[in-house]
Amino acid sequence: MARHFVRSEVLAARPAPRRPFDPIGWLSTNLFSSPLNIAATVLSVALIAKLLPPALDWAIFDAVWVGSSREACVGPGVGACWAFVWAKIGQFIHGHYPVGERWRVDLFFVLFAAGLIPMAIPRVPFKRLNAVYLILALPLVSLLLLYGGVFGLRVVPTSQWGGLLVTIIVAAVGIATSIPLGILLALGRRSKMPVIRMLSIAFIEFWRGIPLITVLFMSSVMLPLFLPPGVDFDKLLRALIGIALYASAYMAEAVRGGLQSLPRGQYEAAGSLGLGYWPTMRKVILPQALRVSIPGIVNTAIALLKDTSLVIVIGLFDLLGIIQSNFADSNWASPATPATGYIFAALVYWVMAFAVSRYSLFLERRLDVGRRH
Amino acid sequence: MSQTLAREQGAMPPPMSDVAIEMRGVNKWFGDYHALRDIDLTVKRGERIVICGPSGSGKSTLIRTINGLEPHEQGRIVVDGIELTSELKKIDEVRRDVGMVFQHFNLFPHLTILENCTLAPVHVRGVPQKQAEETAMHFLRRVRIPEQANKYPGQLSGGQQQRVAIARALTMNPRIMLFDEPTSALDPEMVKEVLDVMVSLAQEGMTMLVVTHVMGFARQVADRVIFMDAGQIVEMADPGTFFTDPKHERTRLFLSQILE
């Protein structure tokens, strides 16, 4: 017969046992646990040992940090020519914007950061006001500031804009317009109204089906053919519209994934409470769907940020374009110059993309609040 | 067919004010599958009806046609004097009068308990936020979880979540409540706390249609028990008759399976 057990006292919870740190034990379990693991460890260490020192030599130890012309960067065993980047940094940032007017570009960067940084930090209050500033005030003020023609500012045509300025403008406008447009397209694609659904699908599939470079060529070469003679609008604006529409198709697909991941019960619960279509979307569906869509949206945003470098094909000088155009400067032509310029461009893009990526991780974790436990 | 059912179908519809729900010759198909077949049902105001039957018998579909979550294809459904048509305005009107509680709670996970309960009053009825919060707290006290108001659904137990779902539906002051297997997804320990809330609701005279397999609940509060199979109402009777003297073969078989 089974013995009858009755607990007489409740056990209190005890802390988990703490193991002392054991480096050899850690190595043997993590780096040398199996033949495959040992091979992977040895191979990785060998690869790093082979590649890292020459890379460091080139970028740091043999690099030329100061100098006023190509002379500094010519010679045997010379690494990166950072002096070139340093000498040209103003142009990399401002493009061919008149030197005397560069403060306007710098002021734009300050205004942009002043809107973006507080918006990105959840603790900072006045988010609604901040959004109004970013979406309405900033674009208008920036346009007046950068283009000029008012308040005694001389006109600087967009053909003279360039460098980081153009990269930031194209990326920011592209991302800021393609997200709302993408949300509407994603909702349209799932609409019960056939006309809206078909139009959304046609739009999305059209833009997803053509390469961005084609979009840019079309916007700069073909669009004028369809416009009545005499009507001409800005090349930068045309590129902006093309990129925004192109990116919105990808945003729409990212958002659609999020919409599809929601259980039907959410729609039914909202419906059973009498909520109509728009309140249901705004208050119940989109807040959840967008959270799920963040990785896809950020992926598209980062791709767009880097794809802005393609505007070079229609004669706009963005960051990469302006760097590349400086390779032709006879004062700085050296074997090390192009490599240095490209590496510098890559570094700038990487820093921006990595920042966006880390911020999205932070955002995901923060918005996870409803799903915890 | 049982006498009760025959009487029900033959009876003259009672005067309008007395009738909460009227279904006449309702049919519905899912593709080729005939999910609801000639449903005739009149629910009087204040009546508590329990619907049971094997899975796939159409009991959930039946109550989901009453607030238009599932559109019906033939027949008439009149809820609170409003006929349900494909017109969206009518459906929204009906939904404002009819609360629904789901098997899987369907709380909004990104909103706090309080926000779950104020969303519809604020955005459907235009109630001021502060007043909506007071109403929400009133109903959260009624389901005995006011202290959870600022938590998120994911932090609550199943039983607590279902009670919030009931409170959420009540904040819209519905005249009819539909329950779609409200305790089927709960741990056994939590069934009672949800049933208690439902019983007290019944005692206050709420018109209720409850799909459930909890026969104790049916015995305790139901005015009528409906047994469904293959999309049809097979038997309908007061609980005393239904449990002690079921007439239809299929009902007896079902009861013998679940009442062990």
Side-chain angles (χ1 to χ4, degrees):
Chain A
M1 206 179 105
R3 233 179 75 220
H4 186 171
F5 171 80
V6 180
R7 177 160 301 290
S8 55
E9 60 198 303
V10 177
L11 298 179
R14 292 185 294 269
R18 221 173 280 283
R19 280 179 213 90
F21 181 65
D22 163 23
I24 293 173
W26 186 88
L27 285 176
S28 66
T29 51
N30 290 289
L31 297 181
F32 302 100
S33 62
S34 67
L36 185 67
N37 196 344
I38 293 169
T41 303
V42 170
L43 206 67
S44 306
V45 170
L47 216 59
I48 292 169
K50 181 111 181 73
L51 296 180
L52 196 59
L56 288 178
D57 281 345
W58 182 84
I60 298 170
F61 302 116
D62 296 338
V64 178
W65 297 90
V66 284
S68 53
S69 73
R70 63 183 298 276
E71 309 302 330
C73 296
V74 194
V78 168
C81 184
W82 298 122
F84 161 71
V85 172
W86 188 237
K88 298 284 188 178
I89 191 78
Q91 222 184 63
F92 292 172
I93 292 171
H94 306 93
H96 296 300
Y97 213 87
V99 176
E101 306 287 326
R102 279 182 180 176
W103 63 269
R104 285 155 64 176
V105 177
D106 298 334
L107 183 59
F108 160 75
F109 284 129
V110 171
L111 291 175
F112 183 63
L116 195 63
I117 292 169
M119 195 69 196
I121 301 171
R123 264 176 304 139
V124 179
F126 309 120
K127 283 283 182 274
R128 198 176 289 254
L129 209 64
N130 202 332
V132 171
Y133 169 77
L134 268 179
I135 294 166
L136 293 175
L138 183 68
L140 198 70
V141 171
S142 305
L143 185 67
L144 295 178
L145 177 69
L146 293 171
Y147 189 78
V150 286
F151 307 124
L153 293 171
R154 71 179 252 225
V155 172
V156 180
T158 56
S159 55
Q160 292 182 22
W161 301 12
L164 191 64
L165 172 67
V166 161
T167 297
I168 296 275
I169 286 179
V170 174
V173 173
I175 291 167
T177 53
S178 65
I179 289 177
L181 210 56
I183 291 172
L184 288 178
L185 284 167
L187 292 177
R189 190 167 190 161
R190 289 169 60 85
S191 169
K192 287 201 179 80
M193 288 175 269
V195 176
I196 292 186
R197 189 171 60 240
M198 294 309 286
L199 284 176
S200 302
I201 292 175
F203 183 95
I204 292 169
E205 296 305 334
F206 172 78
W207 290 99
R208 282 212 308 166
I210 47 179
L212 179 57
I213 204 160
T214 315
V215 175
L216 291 170
F217 276 133
M218 286 200 302
S219 76
S220 106
V221 181
M222 282 175 61
L223 200 61
L225 300 180
F226 298 116
L227 293 172
V231 175
D232 181 35
F233 69 100
D234 195 89
K235 199 200 269 184
L236 178 65
L237 184 61
R238 277 182 295 183
L240 275 176
I241 294 172
I243 286 176
L245 295 179
Y246 175 83
S248 68
Y250 284 90
M251 289 295 184
E253 290 301 280
V255 174
R256 184 168 70 107
L259 288 174
Q260 277 170 343
S261 74
L262 290 193
R264 223 176 89 189
Q266 292 292 306
Y267 293 88
E268 292 181 345
S272 75
L273 287 166
L275 284 165
Y277 179 80
W278 287 109
T280 300
M281 290 303 148
R282 217 158 49 83
K283 293 289 173 181
V284 177
I285 302 302
L286 283 175
Q288 298 184 66
L290 290 180
R291 187 185 63 78
V292 179
S293 311
I294 289 175
I297 290 174
V298 171
N299 204 23
T300 308
I302 290 178
L304 189 149
L305 172 68
K306 297 186 294 178
D307 284 349
T308 56
S309 55
L310 286 172
V311 297
I312 198 172
V313 302
I314 56 168
L316 292 174
F317 288 100
D318 71 320
L319 177 69
L320 183 64
I322 203 86
I323 290 175
Q324 212 172 18
S325 73
N326 271 293
F327 298 160
D329 182 349
S330 57
N331 190 36
W332 281 100
S334 80
T337 308
T340 310
Y342 285 131
I343 288 282
F344 177 71
L347 202 65
V348 175
Y349 283 112
W350 183 84
V351 166
M352 292 193 290
F354 187 68
V356 173
S357 164
R358 297 309 295 186
Y359 183 70
S360 95
L361 273 183
F362 162 76
L363 209 59
E364 264 176 70
R365 235 172 278 138
R366 190 182 152 77
L367 294 179
D368 203 24
V369 64
R371 291 284 165 90
R372 235 175 267 151
H373 299 274
Chain B
M1 192 117 312
S2 82
Q3 283 183 329
T4 347
L5 183 52
R7 242 201 328 277
E8 170 73 26
Q9 285 177 333
M12 287 290 291
M16 210 42 225
S17 59
D18 239 21
V19 177
I21 301 164
E22 172 119 41
M23 303 176 84
R24 283 287 165 265
V26 173
N27 277 282
K28 161 145 196 90
W29 287 263
F30 288 118
D32 285 335
Y33 179 69
H34 197 171
L36 290 181
R37 307 179 191 175
D38 293 340
I39 300 292
D40 288 306
L41 176 66
T42 305
V43 180
K44 290 201 275 303
R45 204 163 285 296
E47 230 187 335
R48 277 87 53 163
I49 293 185
V50 163
I51 305 171
C52 59
S55 59
S57 60
K59 50 197 192 309
S60 287
T61 310
L62 189 151
I63 68 166
R64 289 158 61 90
T65 57
I66 293 170
N67 67 351
L69 281 185
E70 300 286 359
H72 59 291
E73 273 134 329
Q74 281 176 4
R76 298 183 64 202
I77 301 179
V78 181
V79 181
D80 249 346
I82 306 160
E83 174 155 11
L84 269 171
T85 57
S86 54
E87 236 183 293
L88 287 174
K89 236 183 89 199
K90 294 278 175 168
I91 295 176
D92 280 343
E93 255 179 81
V94 166
R95 285 177 178 174
R96 264 172 253 162
D97 271 357
V98 180
M100 187 159 192
V101 174
F102 301 85
Q103 180 178 1
H104 295 289
F105 330 137
N106 295 352
L107 295 178
F108 306 130
H110 61 300
L111 300 178
T112 64
I113 299 309
L114 190 63
E115 289 166 341
N116 263 277
C117 295
T118 56
L119 184 69
V122 170
H123 288 94
V124 179
R125 294 219 195 273
V127 177
Q129 182 70 31
K130 194 154 166 44
Q131 193 187 327
E133 282 177 14
E134 280 165 21
T135 312
M137 285 311 294
H138 166 76
F139 285 109
L140 286 175
R141 275 193 293 275
R142 265 213 51 184
V143 300
R144 294 190 311 279
I145 32 177
E147 69 281 0
Q148 312 284 1
N150 293 315
K151 290 193 182 163
Y152 286 90
Q155 295 168 297
L156 269 55
S157 74
Q160 290 173 321
Q161 289 192 51
Q162 193 60 299
R163 284 187 280 149
V164 172
I166 295 173
R168 179 176 72 175
L170 292 176
T171 58
M172 290 295 282
N173 290 317
R175 303 165 75 161
I176 299 163
M177 283 285 285
L178 308 173
F179 292 85
D180 190 0
E181 304 207 26
T183 58
S184 302
L186 296 176
D187 287 339
E189 278 186 296
M190 292 163 186
V191 171
K192 187 171 176 297
E193 64 188 52
V194 171
L195 288 179
D196 284 347
V197 172
M198 291 168 63
V199 169
S200 79
L201 209 55
Q203 282 162 352
E204 282 166 29
M206 176 69 79
T207 309
M208 294 165 74
L209 270 84
V210 183
V211 173
T212 186
H213 292 129
V214 183
M215 290 303 135
F217 177 78
R219 280 206 187 89
Q220 196 182 344
V221 304
D223 296 309
R224 272 188 291 169
V225 182
I226 292 174
F227 174 69
M228 287 186 73
D229 189 31
Q232 305 152 70
I233 293 179
V234 172
E235 190 156 353
M236 173 152 56
D238 62 274
T241 318
F242 184 85
F243 290 112
T244 53
D245 191 17
K247 294 286 190 294
H248 198 282
E249 186 77 27
R250 187 68 189 83
T251 317
R252 281 190 211 141
L253 181 66
F254 178 76
L255 287 175
S256 73
Q257 298 292 336
I258 64 164
L259 300 175
E260 278 304 284

